[in-house]
Amino acid sequence: MVISALPEYPQHAKSTYPEICEDVRALCKQNRLREALHILHFMDRQSIRPDSYTYAALLQSCISLKAITEGKQVHAHTFLTGSNRDDFLETKIVIMYINFGYLEVARQVFDEISERNVVSWTAMIAAYARHGPEEALALFYQMQGMGVQPNEFTFASILPACASLAALDCGKDIHEAIIRNGFQGDVFVGNALVDMYAKCNSIKDAHEVFEKMTERNIVSWNTLIAGYAHNGQVEESLKLFQNMPERNEVSWNAMISGYVHNGCFDESVNLFGEMQRTGVKPNVETFASVLKACASLAALHKGKVIHGSIVKSGFQFNVFVGSALVDMYAKCETIEDACRVFDEMPFRNVVSWNAMIAGYAQNGRAGEALKLFQQMTQRNTISWNAMIAGCAQNCLLGEAIQLFQEMPEKNLVSWTAMISGYTQNGLFDEALKLFLQMQHTGLMPNSDTFASILPAFANLAALHEGKEVHEDIIRKGLQSDIFVGNALIDMYAKCGSIGDAHRVFNSMPRQNVISWTAMLGGYAMHGYGKEALQLFEKMQNAGMKPDHITFVGVLSACCHAGLVDDGWHYFNSMSQDYQIIPSVEHYCCMVDLLGRAGQLDEVGDFIKKMPVKPDAIVWGSVLGACRVHTNIELGEYAAERLFELDPENAAHYVALSNIYATAGRWNGVEKVRKMMNDRRVEKKPGCSWIEVSNKVYTFLKGDRSHQHTPEIYEMLEMLSGQMKEAGYVPNTNFVLHDLEEEHKQTFLCHHSEKLAIAFGLIKTLPGTTIRIVKNLRVCGDCHSALRFISKIVAREIVVRDTNRFHHFQDGQCSCGDYW
């Protein structure tokens, strides 16, 4: 042993056994470990056996000084003197190995203790609560089975295991045991209970425990503040924070990080400024949280100011702060600054590398991200996840799939990143398949997973499946998560259930700008323009600042409802009141608004004055307006621009052909058809989908392949007769062929949406809402026909086409025939 090689204890030292042991313990209290070990060597030479308290003092000194090697030597020395079977001493050895992070060794020593007391059990339970909560619970119940009664420290140690596992029922059982044993008044037990309930999403129970605590300390307040924030109730966190009798830096950090967790990034940055003004010094955690807020806001100037504060505080070389700076600069799209911070870091950990990889990927430099990833000597799962997400975001889905398949170990984030990759790239069916596959592995989705998969249901208009996922979200207690709430609003709106979207919006504990924008956009796409504008006014009154995407929703609402004056007002308000420079999307909305209103001369003037070059979407809006108002000259001009910008899009050719057909210019129709043939542009066939009994059925125009074809066409024939009796007149302008009027009417009768609706009427119960999705814009004749059908069959019919939703009910459409 190394100990035997140390110099002998000085000859003038006291020679009685109690005094020698006392000398060792005194040196250990002063952390003079080397001198204490000298005396241990002297005791060896004199065949003097240290008592348990002397060994315990030596072990405690090793713990304090993190002297791992010396601690192992003292443990070995207990074997030489036969002291290793002392239960008290073995408990101390267990505690030492736990402190050194050697949990397996600690467990071996623990298992060899003949009479384990509450201290040894509690030490092991506390260790496993941090590094293996399932085993912590197993030990806790085993301890009671062996007749050892837990004390207040045991209870305070086991509750974090319940919190980590979100094991609410187990936590409640332990709470009852705490009351039976009379420890409910202990402040540490109370704090642990508050934390457990909060992390198990039972914030009401957490608050009740807090209120009943006879003694509270600052940790009690901080724990409940963090708990409310974790449960999406940041307003309650703020009330507690403001009512605290005293605050420390942990209090400020809990509130700042709580804001960030709930997407209140402006509030987080503002509170950081208030913290500095009150004289409380920020620490590493503070800077990491507020930098995340700046990153989310893309607030480069504020981020640079905070960077200056970091330098003044001396934290610029801290690896966690450095990593947060890299992330902030990357998300503010100043990748060169991110690279500079990364290069200047004296020490980088895997977090730093991951931040830089993600930064490259987020800034469209996936090749450099991949190169850096390959340079990493140590990768963790986060590294792989960052690379998968980066490739998917940069349309390198094949590379993302390959990385996902090759990664040595997948966690929930890995699956979520890949699911998100599929949805971002429009592969919604693949996203759903992977979501189910993930669940079959035993992994349970979290809020990020749900927020990633819900867009797939939205784009597939899979309302039934989306509702099932919503129920799962509620069962898991994740409905208060703001990102899940936003995704649910979007899903319900795009699935045609605007009422459900509104209910989700109203039930959210708090909304951010994305929540308001999603709800506003939902109203817009359903044609509820006035409701959208009323919501926008409420948003402003609530102090929520709209962004450029919000204004796209506002202008779209004006467009779909024909609110020209309101549209001009909000368009001008963008720059005048909110300093938002209109983008091409906003100009496109205005062109669409003016065009639908028939103000085609104003459209031409507006486009000429646009500071941005009109793109295919702008000219597409012009062409659509010309189709509605049969303006051949402007329509031809818009079509020419579209054939230059987007020559392979068949919709532009069809729109021009529609204009010619409506005007009876069949030579023009033939000219467009020839142009399409010469350029090998194929018109997308009209296709409609309907979901009946959890199965999706597809119909093409004139489709006769369905097994219920006879009943479908019989239903259409019956409806056609009833519609004509009610005053319906087929609009044959929408037939792009020079046919006899009777043939044109037959042609219109077999459009895909009419076939799908006929099938829905046959296969669903009376009164059931019929929901249809169509891959093209609904033609004017079908729109008119569906109004009549809705009144005849006394059903609501919801149709989602490429532009918007139409809600047909009692002979009326939500668009007011303005579409």
Side-chain angles (χ1 to χ4, degrees):
M1 290 180 61
V2 176
I3 292 176
S4 61
L6 294 172
E8 292 187 5
Y9 185 61
Q11 293 298 318
H12 60 271
K14 302 171 185 177
S15 57
T16 65
Y17 176 75
E19 291 173 333
I20 292 173
C21 290
E22 180 58 36
D23 275 355
V24 173
R25 293 195 290 271
L27 289 169
C28 288
K29 283 182 181 178
Q30 300 170 44
N31 282 331
R32 293 162 63 182
L33 180 59
R34 186 172 181 82
E35 294 170 67
L37 292 176
H38 288 183
I39 299 178
L40 187 63
H41 169 66
F42 170 78
M43 296 172 76
D44 274 347
R45 294 289 300 271
Q46 300 298 319
S47 299
I48 301 172
R49 174 182 170 180
D51 61 16
S52 297
Y53 297 104
T54 304
Y55 273 126
L58 286 163
L59 292 167
Q60 184 58 51
S61 184
C62 292
I63 293 170
S64 301
L65 296 170
K66 296 182 173 58
I68 299 173
T69 302
E70 288 79 0
K72 289 179 178 179
Q73 291 170 356
V74 173
H75 181 198
H77 196 272
T78 64
F79 282 92
L80 294 178
T81 58
S83 304
N84 60 301
R85 305 311 301 169
D86 183 288
D87 293 342
F88 165 76
L89 190 54
E90 284 183 300
T91 298
K92 193 67 181 179
I93 292 168
V94 167
I95 294 170
M96 179 192 73
Y97 281 119
I98 288 171
N99 276 272
F100 290 159
Y102 294 164
L103 190 55
E104 290 184 8
V105 179
R107 181 60 184 267
Q108 290 172 3
V109 176
F110 173 80
D111 288 341
E112 292 172 0
I113 300 175
S114 56
E115 293 291 334
R116 301 174 198 141
N117 59 20
V118 68
V119 177
S120 56
W121 281 100
T122 300
M124 281 310 308
I125 288 169
Y128 276 118
R130 293 189 297 271
H131 303 292
E134 296 92 346
E135 186 62 21
L137 285 171
L139 277 175
F140 177 75
Y141 290 118
Q142 184 183 344
M143 165 188 167
Q144 292 177 293
M146 296 183 70
V148 179
Q149 289 301 311
N151 61 17
E152 64 270 37
F153 301 108
T154 317
F155 285 121
S157 298
I158 190 58
L159 286 168
C162 300
S164 296
L165 297 168
L168 180 59
D169 291 340
C170 187
K172 285 185 173 182
D173 290 342
I174 291 171
H175 190 178
E176 291 175 2
I178 288 166
I179 294 171
R180 286 195 302 271
N181 285 273
F183 293 123
Q184 67 270 28
D186 183 87
V187 67
F188 299 105
V189 172
N191 293 343
L193 279 168
V194 171
D195 182 64
M196 181 274 294
Y197 279 122
K199 288 178 178 174
C200 289
N201 299 317
S202 185
I203 193 65
K204 183 179 178 181
D205 288 319
H207 187 86
E208 186 177 337
V209 171
F210 178 82
E211 288 295 329
K212 289 180 178 179
M213 289 175 70
T214 55
E215 178 190 355
R216 300 179 193 137
N217 58 17
I218 198 166
V219 176
S220 316
W221 289 85
N222 293 342
T223 303
L224 191 57
I225 287 171
Y228 269 118
H230 172 79
N231 282 268
Q233 299 184 38
V234 73
E235 294 85 357
E236 294 299 324
S237 294
L238 183 60
K239 288 178 186 176
L240 282 167
F241 180 76
Q242 292 171 336
N243 292 326
M244 288 182 76
E246 61 173 327
R247 299 174 190 149
N248 60 9
E249 64 183 25
V250 178
S251 316
W252 289 90
N253 288 345
M255 198 64 234
I256 290 169
S257 63
Y259 273 138
V260 173
H261 177 75
N262 287 276
C264 304
F265 305 118
D266 282 314
E267 293 86 342
S268 176
V269 174
N270 293 338
L271 191 63
F272 171 76
E274 185 181 337
M275 176 184 182
Q276 288 184 302
R277 288 190 293 274
T278 58
V280 179
K281 292 184 178 180
N283 59 15
V284 168
E285 183 182 343
T286 322
F287 284 124
S289 292
V290 76
L291 284 170
K292 186 175 181 181
C294 292
S296 299
L297 292 167
L300 180 60
H301 176 70
K302 289 179 180 178
K304 286 188 172 182
V305 170
I306 291 168
H307 192 173
S309 299
I310 288 167
V311 173
K312 290 178 184 176
S313 301
F315 289 122
Q316 69 270 31
F317 297 124
N318 179 276
V319 68
F320 300 105
V321 173
S323 302
L325 280 167
V326 169
D327 180 64
M328 184 274 293
Y329 280 122
K331 286 179 178 170
C332 290
E333 299 182 357
T334 55
I335 194 67
E336 289 76 16
D337 287 326
C339 290
R340 178 174 50 79
V341 172
F342 182 76
D343 291 339
E344 291 175 357
M345 291 175 70
F347 171 73
R348 304 183 196 117
N349 61 10
V350 70
V351 177
S352 321
W353 285 83
N354 292 344
M356 195 65 243
I357 287 170
Y360 274 132
Q362 289 158 6
N363 283 270
R365 293 160 69 167
E368 288 165 273
L370 194 55
K371 184 179 178 182
L372 199 64
F373 176 75
Q374 291 166 346
Q375 290 175 8
M376 289 182 73
T377 54
Q378 288 186 324
R379 301 171 187 158
N380 62 8
T381 307
I382 298 172
S383 316
W384 288 87
N385 294 343
M387 203 61 247
I388 290 167
C391 287
Q393 288 166 6
N394 287 276
C395 300
L396 301 174
L397 193 60
E399 288 82 349
I401 294 170
Q402 184 177 348
L403 286 164
F404 181 74
Q405 292 171 344
E406 290 177 355
M407 67 186 301
E409 183 179 348
K410 300 177 182 70
N411 62 8
L412 181 58
V413 179
S414 318
W415 289 88
T416 300
M418 198 63 244
I419 289 168
S420 180
Y422 278 130
T423 57
Q424 288 167 3
N425 286 273
L427 299 174
F428 307 116
D429 285 319
E430 286 78 359
L432 295 182
K433 289 174 186 174
L434 195 66
F435 179 68
L436 293 173
Q437 187 182 339
M438 181 200 80
Q439 291 177 295
H440 289 154
T441 67
L443 282 173
M444 290 294 103
N446 64 7
S447 56
D448 292 330
T449 318
F450 284 124
S452 296
I453 194 59
L454 283 169
F457 295 112
N459 283 279
L460 293 170
L463 180 60
H464 177 77
E465 293 81 358
K467 283 188 171 183
E468 287 183 341
V469 169
H470 190 182
E471 291 171 2
D472 196 20
I473 287 167
I474 294 170
R475 283 193 295 270
K476 289 179 169 58
L478 298 173
Q479 67 272 24
S480 63
D481 183 274
I482 195 165
F483 301 105
V484 171
N486 293 343
L488 281 168
I489 292 170
D490 182 65
M491 184 272 292
Y492 278 122
K494 288 180 178 174
C495 285
S497 187
I498 195 68
D500 285 321
H502 190 252
R503 278 186 283 277
V504 171
F505 178 80
N506 284 339
S507 68
M508 292 173 72
R510 60 170 297 276
Q511 298 100 356
N512 61 11
V513 66
I514 299 172
S515 319
W516 289 89
T517 300
M519 191 65 242
L520 197 152
Y523 277 136
M525 75 171 75
H526 283 265
Y528 300 124
K530 291 181 180 178
E531 289 83 351
L533 297 187
Q534 288 171 1
L535 187 70
F536 183 64
E537 294 300 320
K538 287 181 182 179
M539 176 183 180
Q540 292 174 302
N541 294 336
M544 190 68 64
K545 185 178 178 181
D547 62 14
H548 68 287
I549 301 174
T550 312
F551 276 103
V552 171
V554 171
L555 294 175
S556 295
C558 294
C559 180
H560 288 307
L563 305 173
V564 177
D565 292 339
D566 288 310
W568 276 117
H569 166 72
Y570 290 115
F571 180 77
N572 293 325
S573 175
M574 285 177 61
S575 54
Q576 294 173 3
D577 300 329
Y578 296 98
Q579 291 72 53
I580 297 174
I581 300 172
S583 67
V584 69
E585 288 87 353
H586 303 105
Y587 286 105
C588 181
C589 288
M590 288 304 298
V591 169
D592 201 18
L593 172 62
L594 296 171
R596 287 172 188 264
Q599 299 179 16
L600 297 179
D601 291 337
E602 288 84 348
V603 167
D605 293 337
F606 185 80
I607 290 176
K608 288 176 185 177
K609 294 176 183 177
M610 281 172 54
V612 295
K613 187 176 180 180
D615 61 7
I617 300 174
V618 172
W619 287 116
S621 296
V622 175
L623 185 59
C626 292
R627 182 191 56 76
V628 173
H629 299 286
T630 321
N631 188 314
I632 297 175
E633 183 180 354
L634 183 57
E636 288 178 331
Y637 182 79
E640 287 172 9
R641 304 288 78 75
L642 286 164
F643 297 156
E644 293 170 0
L645 294 167
D646 193 12
E648 296 181 3
N649 191 330
H652 309 320
Y653 299 87
V654 173
L656 180 59
S657 189
N658 260 308
I659 295 172
Y660 286 140
T662 302
R665 290 177 53 173
W666 299 109
N667 60 331
V669 173
E670 184 58 35
K671 176 185 170 184
V672 173
R673 187 177 292 117
K674 184 177 184 303
M675 194 186 305
M676 292 179 71
N677 290 333
D678 292 344
R679 297 178 182 181
R680 296 181 180 178
V681 176
E682 293 186 8
K683 179 188 173 185
K684 186 189 298 183
C687 182
S688 296
W689 295 268
I690 181 171
E691 184 177 351
V692 176
S693 300
N694 303 331
K695 184 178 178 181
V696 176
Y697 296 87
T698 305
F699 293 89
L700 298 173
K701 181 176 68 175
D703 198 341
R704 291 185 178 272
S705 63
H706 200 278
Q707 62 176 339
H708 294 283
T709 291
E711 299 99 308
I712 290 170
Y713 279 84
E714 185 180 339
M715 173 63 75
L716 283 177
E717 190 68 29
M718 183 186 72
L719 287 172
S720 178
Q722 292 177 321
M723 286 160 57
K724 287 178 180 178
E725 288 178 8
Y728 163 71
V729 177
N731 187 345
T732 57
N733 286 332
F734 291 93
V735 179
L736 304 184
H737 299 276
D738 189 10
L739 304 172
E740 295 294 329
E741 193 69 16
E742 183 179 348
H743 291 302
K744 286 184 179 182
Q745 292 184 19
T746 303
F747 200 86
L748 288 171
C749 186
H750 300 160
H751 277 193
S752 64
E753 56 267 52
K754 290 176 181 172
L755 296 174
I757 287 167
F759 176 72
L761 291 171
I762 294 167
K763 302 301 290 184
T764 60
L765 294 173
T768 306
T769 298
I770 295 176
R771 301 178 188 276
I772 305 292
V773 179
K774 185 170 183 182
N775 67 333
L776 300 175
R777 190 175 184 272
V778 174
C779 80
D781 178 73
C782 286
H783 188 273
S784 176
L786 295 184
R787 286 197 294 105
F788 280 94
I789 292 172
S790 70
K791 187 174 181 103
I792 290 167
V793 301
R795 301 262 202 128
E796 181 183 8
I797 300 171
V798 181
V799 178
R800 169 182 165 183
D801 67 11
T802 52
N803 281 3
R804 58 177 298 159
F805 278 90
H806 297 270
H807 292 254
F808 300 94
Q809 194 165 23
D810 197 28
Q812 301 296 321
C813 180
S814 59
C815 72
D817 294 337
Y818 187 89
W819 54 285

